[in-house]
Amino acid sequence: MKNKFKLIYIFLLSLFFAQCSKEYQLPEDLVVHDFVWKGLNAYYLHQDEIADLSDRRFSSDQELNAYLRTFKDYNDLFNNLLIPTDAKSNLVEDYTNLNVDLPRSSFTNGLEFGIIAEPGSTENVIGYVLQILPNSNASTKNISRGEFFNAVDGVQLTRDNFVDLLINGTSNFDLSMVNFDGTNVIPNTKTISLEKENYDYDSVFLEKTFNIGTFNIGYVMYNNDFSKAAINNLNTTFLNLKNNAVNKLVLDLRYNIGGGSFARNITNLATMITGQFTDEVFIKEEWNSKAQPWFEANQPDSLLTKFPAKLNPQTDFNSLNLTDVYIILNGNNFTGSSAIELLINSLQPYINVHIIGTNTAGNNTGSITLFNSEDYDFALRNETHTVALQPIVLSFYNINDQTYENGFAPTISICPNEDLLDLGILGERSEPILDSVLDFVTSGNTGANTVCNPNNYEFLFHSIDMQRERDNGMFIEQDLPNTN
């Protein structure tokens, strides 16, 4: 009902100005340019650092139009109005492609692998198996984590051809398996035939409980993104953990594909982990120097995100009421996504959050999608174009007013690459990273300093890295005032 009255009000207001004010008509060729400038002027987090976005920069619409015409297109204008270090703000050419929350799928044979340079060779490379996706083509074959290969259809893998043969080549091929002792590559007679198929990913790769003394340790290896559908599916996994009386949780994210997300999805994940903090503040927002005072005066509650009581009106959370969570972020060039950094920062005032991996990146900003309308909402958008803006508009803080622009240091540091000669079995104590985390949970032992890559291998490729989405940061939804 509130939205209905809002639409009626905006419609009547627009009719009033259409009838009563004919003094200024925006040139048709500047509609998107004007939208870009005004949207960033109103909400860009760094508006007060950009001279051309200042409220005093132009004394009239005509002067603003003259400035807008100096740019060859609106993309050029948008990029010129950002601070040099801003890699997150985005201009969307076609907003019809936004907010498509579909299950993750791909065309794959189910083999996740890494590539290193073959020791002693300037050209040859070796592949090693990282993960076999369940219910995939590879899962039906005699191939497992920790094995090695060096040829496709009899062709030796090299620095120059491994991408074409393994990624961009035919949908079915034969892998020539080899033995590798760390120095020598020894061909064997094993050949594995693989075929790519359409594949739908489960949200959770592995879920189990370890009963060690008084500890019931839940372990979840999550290999998905942080979309609404994927996070909601976790609620079923958490029911299994709850039924097993889990009192500690290891959340293994080393193979997840990250990407941005809506803050509410991460709030839901946090509530599954906890559950004892309903209606307590999870996130605080700090907007730019123009928007923040308005929100504080008119919509102060909109600046706060609280732990929700239910996943949705029909679904309760399967919450674990934990006091400790252990998050594994190890992975080649993976320092933790903005979604996980938000989870860490917002949970830390309430429970113990232990980070296993390397320093995180420090992506503490949030974005919003702006459409070309009076209040930048979708309903009354200008339908002459499909451009939308996704600028960073706020910084995230927790209930203690702490943020994380410098990232988080790990509780336990581990190597950025796994030991390919000792990968172990995922989900078992033979897997070195999991074993060290379980030891830390039960004994507090952080382990000796690890010597990384003692054989000095040259790591060239990691198949999960190429699936990781560009991290555009976290998104929020918020009613905005009519400022356009």
Side-chain angles (χ1 to χ4, degrees), residues 269-277 307 319-322 347 351:
L269 174 56
T271 305
M272 295 173 201
I273 294 170
T274 59
Q276 64 270 45
F277 305 112
F307 288 91
S319 298
L320 301 180
N321 296 290
L322 298 180
L347 272 181
I351 67 172

Side-chain angles (χ1 to χ4, degrees), residues 50 119 220 307 431:
I50 306 296
V220 175
F307 288 91
E431 197 273 294

Side-chain angles (χ1 to χ4, degrees), residues 72-87:
K72 62 181 181 180
D73 57 43
Y74 50 79
N75 281 286
D76 190 35
L77 170 66
F78 180 80
N79 292 327
N80 274 273
L81 293 175
L82 306 180
I83 62 171
T85 57
D86 182 1

Side-chain angles (χ1 to χ4, degrees), residues 165-431:
L165 292 176
L166 290 166
I167 306 298
N168 301 328
T170 60
S171 60
N172 45 33
F173 53 74
D174 292 338
L175 282 182
S176 298
M177 310 304 291
V178 296
N179 299 326
F180 180 58
D181 61 7
T183 303
N184 303 300
V185 178
I186 305 167
N188 59 40
T189 59
K190 186 175 178 179
T191 300
I192 302 297
S193 298
L194 297 175
E195 182 176 356
K196 294 180 181 179
E197 302 169 332
N198 292 321
Y199 183 80
D200 294 328
Y201 292 79
D202 291 329
S203 295
V204 174
F205 177 74
L206 278 173
E207 173 256 313
K208 64 188 305 183
T209 301
F210 294 89
N211 304 114
I212 307 173
T214 60
F215 299 96
N216 293 329
I217 306 168
Y219 173 71
V220 175
M221 175 169 259
Y222 184 78
N223 66 337
N224 224 303
D225 55 24
F226 298 105
S227 63
K228 178 180 178 180
I231 292 293
N232 287 359
N233 287 341
L234 273 175
N235 203 40
T236 301
T237 297
F238 274 70
L239 177 60
N240 297 335
L241 300 175
K242 185 176 181 178
N243 290 338
N244 287 327
V246 160
N247 52 29
K248 305 285 181 180
L249 176 66
V250 177
L251 186 58
D252 192 341
L253 301 175
R254 76 184 96 162
Y255 294 161
N256 90 93
I257 62 169
S261 177
F262 280 94
R264 66 174 181 271
N265 298 343
I266 302 307
T267 309
N268 288 341
L269 174 56
T271 305
M272 295 173 201
I273 294 170
T274 59
Q276 64 270 45
F277 305 112
T278 301
D279 290 331
E280 295 290 328
V281 173
F282 185 66
I283 300 167
K284 290 183 177 180
E285 301 171 6
E286 181 74 31
W287 292 60
N288 69 24
S289 58
K290 291 175 60 175
Q292 186 71 15
W294 189 92
F295 285 122
E296 289 175 349
N298 297 279
Q299 297 177 6
D301 288 346
S302 72
L303 298 173
L304 306 176
T305 299
K306 298 181 178 181
F307 288 91
K310 296 174 76 70
L311 181 60
N312 58 56
Q314 293 77 38
T315 309
D316 292 324
F317 283 104
N318 296 314
S319 298
L320 301 180
N321 296 290
L322 298 180
T323 59
D324 290 84
V325 62
Y326 303 78
I327 301 176
I328 302 175
L329 296 177
N330 182 62
N332 184 34
N333 298 319
F334 179 54
T335 55
S337 71
S338 58
I340 294 306
E341 288 187 303
L342 179 61
L343 177 70
I344 293 169
N345 190 63
S346 299
L347 272 181
Q348 278 186 334
Y350 295 99
I351 67 172
N352 302 313
V353 182
H354 311 273
I355 306 168
I356 296 91
T358 55
N359 280 72
T360 68
N363 187 349
N364 69 327
T365 58
S367 300
I368 194 169
T369 302
L370 302 177
F371 300 95
N372 192 358
S373 66
E374 289 293 329
D375 59 354
Y376 296 103
D377 205 353
F378 183 78
L380 293 180
R381 68 198 179 282
N382 184 325
E383 297 187 12
T384 64
H385 65 86
T386 59
V387 173
L389 307 181
Q390 292 184 323
I392 54 174
V393 296
L394 58 86
S395 297
F396 289 114
Y397 291 80
N398 64 24
I399 191 173
N400 293 335
D401 296 319
Q402 298 165 318
T403 191
Y404 47 99
E405 70 272 16
N406 296 319
F408 295 100
T411 311
I412 301 178
S413 295
I414 51 180
C415 298
N417 292 289
E418 296 175 77
D419 182 356
L420 58 89
L421 297 179
D422 185 24
L423 289 175
I425 301 172
L426 291 173
E428 303 291 337
R429 295 209 68 164
S430 66
E431 197 273 294

Side-chain angles (χ1 to χ4, degrees), residues 12-32:
L12 293 175
L13 191 66
S14 63
L15 285 179
F16 173 81
F17 281 109
Q19 295 296 321
C20 301
S21 180
K22 302 288 187 179
E23 296 179 6
Y24 172 71
Q25 184 68 39
L26 178 65
E28 290 184 6
D29 63 324
L30 292 181
V31 167
V32 179

